[in-house]
Amino acid sequence: MSIDKETLTPEQSLDVITSMIRQAKGNMQQGSFYFLLWGWTIVVANLGVYVLIKFTTVENPFLMFLITIVAAIISIVYGIRQGNRIAAPTHLDGIYKWVWIGFGITCFIFWFFGKQIGWQITPVIITMCAVPTFISGSLLKFKPLMFGGVAFWISGALIFLTSFENQFLLAAIAVTLGYLIPGYMLKKSN
Amino acid sequence: MLKELDPLLHSQLRLGVMSLLISVDSAEFTWLKEKTNSTAGNLSVQLDKLSEAGYISIEKSFKGKKPLTTCRISKKGLKAFEEYVNSLKDYIKT
C-alpha cells in the first residue's frame, strides 16, 4: 500500500478498506497450550483419584485435585506473557479469554460449594466444560474442538448415571476426548 | 445530493489505519506500521490527527523497557467510519 496519495476515488477507498480488513482477518491466534496443560492436569488428577479410591485406603484421595492450583498458576503466568506478545488482539480474542476466565470462576464456585450439590462436582463440571470448548471451536473455526464440546455434553450426562468412584475414570476419558485429542490436533494444525 | 466524504478519513493512510482498527480490539504502533507499510514518522503524524479528532485513543506505556504505543478506535471514530462507508456507497451507486 502506498501512503503518499491523499486523493482517493470511492473505488480506491473501498480497496483500502477491504485490503486492510483482510490484513487484520485471521489475526486471532490461539494455541493448544491451555488445552494440553489442563487436559493432562485433569486427566492425571482424575485417574489419580480413581486409582487411590479403588486400590488404596488413602484417607483423602481428593487432594490429587490440588495439582489444578499449579495449572492455574502456570495459566496465569503464561496468559500474562502471551497477552504482552499479541500486537493487535481482536474482539474475538477478548471473548475467547473471558469465556474461559468465566468458566474458571464458575468451576471454582462449584468446587467450593460441592457439598451443597451432593458432591456431584465431576458431572457438573464436565458438562459445563462443553460450553467454552464448543464456543472456542466455533471462534477458531476448528471442528475437532466443537466435537470435543459435544463429547463433554455426552460424557457429562453419562457421568451423572455412573457410580461415584467410576465418575473419575469417565471424567479422565471425557477430558481426553474433549481437550487432549482436539488440543494435539490444534497443535499440529498450527 | 451526495454527502461530502469526511476529509479526515479520505486519506489512504488514515483510512487504512481506521480499517485496521475496526477489525481489532487494539493495535500496537509497530503492527499498524507493518500492515500499512508506512514510515514511523508519517504514521505518527496521521495517528495524531485521528486522535485529535477523537476518532482513536492512543495509550503510551512500556513493554519491559521499550516504549509502547497502543491505538484503539473510539465510538466517535466508529460512527465516522460507518458514515464514511455509507457515503462511499452513495457515490458508487451514482
Side-chain angles (χ1 to χ4, degrees):
Chain A
M1 170 177 160
S2 90
I3 50 162
D4 50 354
K5 275 198 275 172
E6 281 290 316
T7 322
L8 296 167
T9 64
E11 286 78 13
Q12 283 173 324
S13 293
L14 269 186
D15 282 347
V16 171
I17 295 169
T18 47
S19 80
M20 286 298 108
I21 289 176
R22 207 176 299 126
Q23 288 258 24
K25 209 172 135 188
N27 196 47
M28 183 183 181
Q29 286 173 346
Q30 295 291 343
S32 53
F33 177 81
Y34 294 110
F35 292 106
L36 300 182
L37 170 72
W38 282 98
W40 280 113
T41 303
I42 303 169
V43 164
V44 168
N46 276 286
L47 283 182
V49 172
Y50 176 73
V51 169
L52 290 176
I53 291 178
K54 198 97 175 170
F55 306 108
T56 70
T57 53
V58 169
E59 206 171 301
N60 194 347
F62 307 106
L63 289 177
M64 277 300 294
F65 283 114
L66 289 178
I67 63 167
T68 56
I69 294 173
V70 179
I73 293 168
I74 294 172
S75 295
I76 292 167
V77 173
Y78 182 83
I80 291 170
R81 283 191 180 174
Q82 281 300 104
N84 287 339
R85 272 187 208 153
I86 301 175
T90 64
H91 307 294
L92 293 183
D93 283 310
I95 296 171
Y96 189 92
K97 181 176 82 181
W98 287 109
V99 161
W100 282 103
I101 291 176
F103 170 68
I105 295 168
T106 309
C107 284
F108 178 76
I109 292 172
F110 279 129
W111 267 319
F112 201 80
F113 295 102
K115 197 179 172 187
Q116 268 84 340
I117 54 168
W119 297 115
Q120 289 294 309
I121 304 171
T122 306
V124 168
I125 288 181
I126 290 294
T127 310
M128 287 275 308
C129 278
V131 179
T133 309
F134 194 85
I135 291 174
S136 297
S138 167
L139 290 176
L140 295 171
K141 296 186 177 65
F142 191 67
K143 279 198 177 145
L145 267 178
M146 295 170 83
F147 290 129
V150 174
F152 276 126
W153 271 313
I154 296 168
S155 309
L158 290 175
I159 294 171
F160 270 115
L161 303 169
T162 310
S163 69
F164 186 72
E165 61 184 35
N166 287 333
Q167 285 188 347
F168 301 100
L169 181 62
L170 267 183
I173 296 169
V175 173
T176 305
L177 296 173
Y179 283 173
L180 286 180
I181 293 175
Y184 278 110
M185 288 170 84
L186 186 61
K187 191 178 179 185
K188 210 178 161 195
S189 76
N190 283 345
Chain B
M1 187 171 148
L2 291 172
K3 259 170 74 184
E4 198 195 338
L5 290 168
D6 185 344
L8 208 63
L9 293 181
H10 201 56
S11 122
Q12 193 151 357
L13 183 52
R14 290 194 295 270
L15 185 60
V17 167
M18 291 293 281
S19 305
L20 287 169
L21 289 179
I22 58 154
S23 315
V24 296
D25 185 46
S26 63
E28 289 179 13
F29 182 86
T30 46
W31 186 81
L32 289 172
K33 185 173 156 283
E34 181 203 325
K35 296 289 177 191
T36 55
N37 198 19
S38 57
T39 61
N42 193 11
L43 180 61
S44 186
V45 170
Q46 306 309 328
L47 288 179
D48 282 344
K49 284 186 186 173
L50 290 171
S51 170
E52 280 163 20
Y55 285 7
I56 63 169
S57 62
I58 300 176
E59 191 190 309
K60 296 198 187 254
S61 59
F62 283 90
K63 192 181 200 173
K65 285 180 183 172
K66 285 183 187 168
L68 176 72
T69 303
T70 311
C71 304
R72 201 183 292 262
I73 198 163
S74 67
K75 274 186 185 164
K76 190 180 173 190
L78 198 60
K79 197 164 175 277
F81 188 84
E82 278 171 2
E83 279 171 11
Y84 181 84
V85 171
N86 285 335
S87 305
L88 267 189
K89 277 187 204 162
D90 293 339
Y91 270 93
I92 287 168
K93 270 184 210 160
T94 52

